[in-house]
Amino acid sequence: MEEQSEEQSRALGLVHLLRAVTVEFDMLGAEFAARHGLHPTDVRALIHLLDADRAGTRATPGWLGGQLRLNSAGTTSLVDRLERLGLVSRSRDTADRRRVLLKVEEKAMDLGQSFFGPVIGEVLAAAEVFEAGELETVRRFLTAVLESAGRARPV
């Protein structure tokens, strides 16, 4: 086995740290889902819809299915379930009446805030000890990691 350079070793340490953070957040998401009778995919769907809203993206069932890699029937079942629970609503797009838009309801945001608010507060507090330039470096790194993970996804 080839010996790793110090730089490769540091980078691999970051990979392991990212994995630990990912596992921790995944466990938090699973706990949130269990407490509220949701499937982990329901939680991922709500996150995608909230991110879409923040980005100004018009979220349709087709868009959501693409984000979650679900087929049309699976997406319909997911949206039906979230709508029945009062977490998501559907409306017609005023620009194109054939298109259905999805919106996260206040109830879902309140549930998420009550559970994840303290976690977000802790992360924000942890970020306060870093300078703006350091946070920008972390943002660039995480963006690059996210993009590389997408490229490396098995087909």
PDB file of all heavy atoms in Angstrom, residues 136-153:
ATOM      1  N   GLU A 136     -15.799  31.980   4.305  1.00  0.00           N
ATOM      2  CA  GLU A 136     -15.876  31.928   2.844  1.00  0.00           C
ATOM      3  C   GLU A 136     -15.086  30.724   2.323  1.00  0.00           C
ATOM      4  O   GLU A 136     -15.510  30.046   1.386  1.00  0.00           O
ATOM      5  CB  GLU A 136     -15.361  33.230   2.219  1.00  0.00           C
ATOM      6  CG  GLU A 136     -15.316  33.234   0.709  1.00  0.00           C
ATOM      7  CD  GLU A 136     -16.649  32.927   0.020  1.00  0.00           C
ATOM      8  OE1 GLU A 136     -17.723  33.098   0.632  1.00  0.00           O
ATOM      9  OE2 GLU A 136     -16.611  32.510  -1.149  1.00  0.00           O
ATOM     10  N   THR A 137     -13.948  30.445   2.924  1.00  0.00           N
ATOM     11  CA  THR A 137     -13.158  29.277   2.532  1.00  0.00           C
ATOM     12  C   THR A 137     -13.936  27.987   2.804  1.00  0.00           C
ATOM     13  O   THR A 137     -13.965  27.075   1.969  1.00  0.00           O
ATOM     14  CB  THR A 137     -11.802  29.260   3.271  1.00  0.00           C
ATOM     15  OG1 THR A 137     -11.083  30.439   2.921  1.00  0.00           O
ATOM     16  CG2 THR A 137     -10.985  28.024   2.924  1.00  0.00           C
ATOM     17  N   VAL A 138     -14.575  27.915   3.952  1.00  0.00           N
ATOM     18  CA  VAL A 138     -15.382  26.746   4.279  1.00  0.00           C
ATOM     19  C   VAL A 138     -16.531  26.613   3.277  1.00  0.00           C
ATOM     20  O   VAL A 138     -16.814  25.510   2.790  1.00  0.00           O
ATOM     21  CB  VAL A 138     -15.926  26.823   5.728  1.00  0.00           C
ATOM     22  CG1 VAL A 138     -16.941  25.719   6.001  1.00  0.00           C
ATOM     23  CG2 VAL A 138     -14.783  26.763   6.723  1.00  0.00           C
ATOM     24  N   ARG A 139     -17.192  27.734   2.947  1.00  0.00           N
ATOM     25  CA  ARG A 139     -18.295  27.703   1.973  1.00  0.00           C
ATOM     26  C   ARG A 139     -17.808  27.185   0.629  1.00  0.00           C
ATOM     27  O   ARG A 139     -18.442  26.331   0.006  1.00  0.00           O
ATOM     28  CB  ARG A 139     -18.916  29.092   1.822  1.00  0.00           C
ATOM     29  CG  ARG A 139     -20.215  29.082   0.973  1.00  0.00           C
ATOM     30  CD  ARG A 139     -20.550  30.445   0.402  1.00  0.00           C
ATOM     31  NE  ARG A 139     -19.531  30.965  -0.482  1.00  0.00           N
ATOM     32  CZ  ARG A 139     -19.303  30.519  -1.732  1.00  0.00           C
ATOM     33  NH1 ARG A 139     -20.013  29.545  -2.230  1.00  0.00           N
ATOM     34  NH2 ARG A 139     -18.352  31.049  -2.468  1.00  0.00           N
ATOM     35  N   ARG A 140     -16.660  27.705   0.169  1.00  0.00           N
ATOM     36  CA  ARG A 140     -16.110  27.256  -1.119  1.00  0.00           C
ATOM     37  C   ARG A 140     -15.771  25.767  -1.081  1.00  0.00           C
ATOM     38  O   ARG A 140     -16.037  25.025  -2.028  1.00  0.00           O
ATOM     39  CB  ARG A 140     -14.859  28.068  -1.475  1.00  0.00           C
ATOM     40  CG  ARG A 140     -15.179  29.481  -1.957  1.00  0.00           C
ATOM     41  CD  ARG A 140     -13.963  30.304  -2.402  1.00  0.00           C
ATOM     42  NE  ARG A 140     -12.839  29.541  -2.866  1.00  0.00           N
ATOM     43  CZ  ARG A 140     -11.634  29.487  -2.244  1.00  0.00           C
ATOM     44  NH1 ARG A 140     -11.412  30.166  -1.136  1.00  0.00           N
ATOM     45  NH2 ARG A 140     -10.653  28.776  -2.739  1.00  0.00           N
ATOM     46  N   PHE A 141     -15.193  25.323   0.022  1.00  0.00           N
ATOM     47  CA  PHE A 141     -14.832  23.919   0.169  1.00  0.00           C
ATOM     48  C   PHE A 141     -16.080  23.032   0.141  1.00  0.00           C
ATOM     49  O   PHE A 141     -16.135  22.038  -0.593  1.00  0.00           O
ATOM     50  CB  PHE A 141     -14.046  23.695   1.466  1.00  0.00           C
ATOM     51  CG  PHE A 141     -13.772  22.248   1.747  1.00  0.00           C
ATOM     52  CD1 PHE A 141     -12.837  21.543   1.005  1.00  0.00           C
ATOM     53  CD2 PHE A 141     -14.457  21.590   2.757  1.00  0.00           C
ATOM     54  CE1 PHE A 141     -12.588  20.198   1.255  1.00  0.00           C
ATOM     55  CE2 PHE A 141     -14.213  20.244   3.011  1.00  0.00           C
ATOM     56  CZ  PHE A 141     -13.284  19.551   2.263  1.00  0.00           C
ATOM     57  N   LEU A 142     -17.085  23.387   0.930  1.00  0.00           N
ATOM     58  CA  LEU A 142     -18.297  22.568   0.980  1.00  0.00           C
ATOM     59  C   LEU A 142     -19.022  22.563  -0.362  1.00  0.00           C
ATOM     60  O   LEU A 142     -19.578  21.534  -0.769  1.00  0.00           O
ATOM     61  CB  LEU A 142     -19.216  23.039   2.104  1.00  0.00           C
ATOM     62  CG  LEU A 142     -18.700  22.784   3.524  1.00  0.00           C
ATOM     63  CD1 LEU A 142     -19.650  23.394   4.549  1.00  0.00           C
ATOM     64  CD2 LEU A 142     -18.492  21.302   3.781  1.00  0.00           C
ATOM     65  N   THR A 143     -19.003  23.686  -1.063  1.00  0.00           N
ATOM     66  CA  THR A 143     -19.606  23.743  -2.395  1.00  0.00           C
ATOM     67  C   THR A 143     -18.869  22.805  -3.350  1.00  0.00           C
ATOM     68  O   THR A 143     -19.491  22.051  -4.109  1.00  0.00           O
ATOM     69  CB  THR A 143     -19.588  25.184  -2.934  1.00  0.00           C
ATOM     70  OG1 THR A 143     -20.358  26.006  -2.051  1.00  0.00           O
ATOM     71  CG2 THR A 143     -20.171  25.272  -4.337  1.00  0.00           C
ATOM     72  N   ALA A 144     -17.545  22.815  -3.295  1.00  0.00           N
ATOM     73  CA  ALA A 144     -16.742  21.931  -4.149  1.00  0.00           C
ATOM     74  C   ALA A 144     -16.994  20.465  -3.793  1.00  0.00           C
ATOM     75  O   ALA A 144     -17.098  19.605  -4.683  1.00  0.00           O
ATOM     76  CB  ALA A 144     -15.260  22.269  -4.014  1.00  0.00           C
ATOM     77  N   VAL A 145     -17.115  20.166  -2.500  1.00  0.00           N
ATOM     78  CA  VAL A 145     -17.392  18.792  -2.071  1.00  0.00           C
ATOM     79  C   VAL A 145     -18.757  18.355  -2.589  1.00  0.00           C
ATOM     80  O   VAL A 145     -18.910  17.241  -3.100  1.00  0.00           O
ATOM     81  CB  VAL A 145     -17.312  18.666  -0.529  1.00  0.00           C
ATOM     82  CG1 VAL A 145     -17.896  17.343  -0.050  1.00  0.00           C
ATOM     83  CG2 VAL A 145     -15.878  18.826  -0.058  1.00  0.00           C
ATOM     84  N   LEU A 146     -19.749  19.207  -2.457  1.00  0.00           N
ATOM     85  CA  LEU A 146     -21.092  18.883  -2.935  1.00  0.00           C
ATOM     86  C   LEU A 146     -21.079  18.601  -4.432  1.00  0.00           C
ATOM     87  O   LEU A 146     -21.658  17.620  -4.906  1.00  0.00           O
ATOM     88  CB  LEU A 146     -22.055  20.037  -2.600  1.00  0.00           C
ATOM     89  CG  LEU A 146     -23.509  19.842  -2.970  1.00  0.00           C
ATOM     90  CD1 LEU A 146     -24.094  18.631  -2.251  1.00  0.00           C
ATOM     91  CD2 LEU A 146     -24.298  21.093  -2.623  1.00  0.00           C
ATOM     92  N   GLU A 147     -20.394  19.451  -5.190  1.00  0.00           N
ATOM     93  CA  GLU A 147     -20.312  19.244  -6.638  1.00  0.00           C
ATOM     94  C   GLU A 147     -19.566  17.962  -6.975  1.00  0.00           C
ATOM     95  O   GLU A 147     -19.976  17.213  -7.875  1.00  0.00           O
ATOM     96  CB  GLU A 147     -19.655  20.450  -7.290  1.00  0.00           C
ATOM     97  CG  GLU A 147     -20.524  21.698  -7.246  1.00  0.00           C
ATOM     98  CD  GLU A 147     -19.778  22.964  -7.654  1.00  0.00           C
ATOM     99  OE1 GLU A 147     -18.558  22.913  -7.919  1.00  0.00           O
ATOM    100  OE2 GLU A 147     -20.441  24.023  -7.692  1.00  0.00           O
ATOM    101  N   SER A 148     -18.482  17.676  -6.262  1.00  0.00           N
ATOM    102  CA  SER A 148     -17.709  16.462  -6.546  1.00  0.00           C
ATOM    103  C   SER A 148     -18.507  15.208  -6.196  1.00  0.00           C
ATOM    104  O   SER A 148     -18.422  14.192  -6.892  1.00  0.00           O
ATOM    105  CB  SER A 148     -16.361  16.473  -5.819  1.00  0.00           C
ATOM    106  OG  SER A 148     -16.545  16.398  -4.429  1.00  0.00           O
ATOM    107  N   ALA A 149     -19.294  15.270  -5.136  1.00  0.00           N
ATOM    108  CA  ALA A 149     -20.131  14.124  -4.771  1.00  0.00           C
ATOM    109  C   ALA A 149     -21.153  13.847  -5.874  1.00  0.00           C
ATOM    110  O   ALA A 149     -21.425  12.692  -6.202  1.00  0.00           O
ATOM    111  CB  ALA A 149     -20.835  14.381  -3.440  1.00  0.00           C
ATOM    112  N   GLY A 150     -21.695  14.904  -6.445  1.00  0.00           N
ATOM    113  CA  GLY A 150     -22.637  14.745  -7.552  1.00  0.00           C
ATOM    114  C   GLY A 150     -21.985  14.108  -8.773  1.00  0.00           C
ATOM    115  O   GLY A 150     -22.561  13.247  -9.430  1.00  0.00           O
ATOM    116  N   ARG A 151     -20.752  14.530  -9.065  1.00  0.00           N
ATOM    117  CA  ARG A 151     -20.039  13.949 -10.217  1.00  0.00           C
ATOM    118  C   ARG A 151     -19.652  12.501  -9.980  1.00  0.00           C
ATOM    119  O   ARG A 151     -19.604  11.710 -10.917  1.00  0.00           O
ATOM    120  CB  ARG A 151     -18.765  14.760 -10.512  1.00  0.00           C
ATOM    121  CG  ARG A 151     -19.023  16.106 -11.146  1.00  0.00           C
ATOM    122  CD  ARG A 151     -17.729  16.733 -11.656  1.00  0.00           C
ATOM    123  NE  ARG A 151     -16.692  16.852 -10.636  1.00  0.00           N
ATOM    124  CZ  ARG A 151     -16.558  17.888  -9.794  1.00  0.00           C
ATOM    125  NH1 ARG A 151     -17.415  18.885  -9.862  1.00  0.00           N
ATOM    126  NH2 ARG A 151     -15.587  17.907  -8.909  1.00  0.00           N
ATOM    127  N   ALA A 152     -19.373  12.133  -8.741  1.00  0.00           N
ATOM    128  CA  ALA A 152     -18.895  10.788  -8.424  1.00  0.00           C
ATOM    129  C   ALA A 152     -20.021   9.784  -8.193  1.00  0.00           C
ATOM    130  O   ALA A 152     -19.758   8.608  -8.003  1.00  0.00           O
ATOM    131  CB  ALA A 152     -17.995  10.835  -7.182  1.00  0.00           C
ATOM    132  N   ARG A 153     -21.269  10.257  -8.229  1.00  0.00           N
ATOM    133  CA  ARG A 153     -22.412   9.375  -7.952  1.00  0.00           C
ATOM    134  C   ARG A 153     -22.436   8.240  -8.979  1.00  0.00           C
ATOM    135  O   ARG A 153     -22.341   8.471 -10.173  1.00  0.00           O
ATOM    136  CB  ARG A 153     -23.710  10.169  -8.043  1.00  0.00           C
ATOM    137  CG  ARG A 153     -24.943   9.330  -7.722  1.00  0.00           C
ATOM    138  CD  ARG A 153     -26.238  10.104  -7.791  1.00  0.00           C
ATOM    139  NE  ARG A 153     -26.214  11.254  -6.906  1.00  0.00           N
ATOM    140  CZ  ARG A 153     -26.340  12.522  -7.326  1.00  0.00           C
ATOM    141  NH1 ARG A 153     -26.501  12.783  -8.604  1.00  0.00           N
ATOM    142  NH2 ARG A 153     -26.317  13.496  -6.473  1.00  0.00           N
TER     143      ARG A 153
END
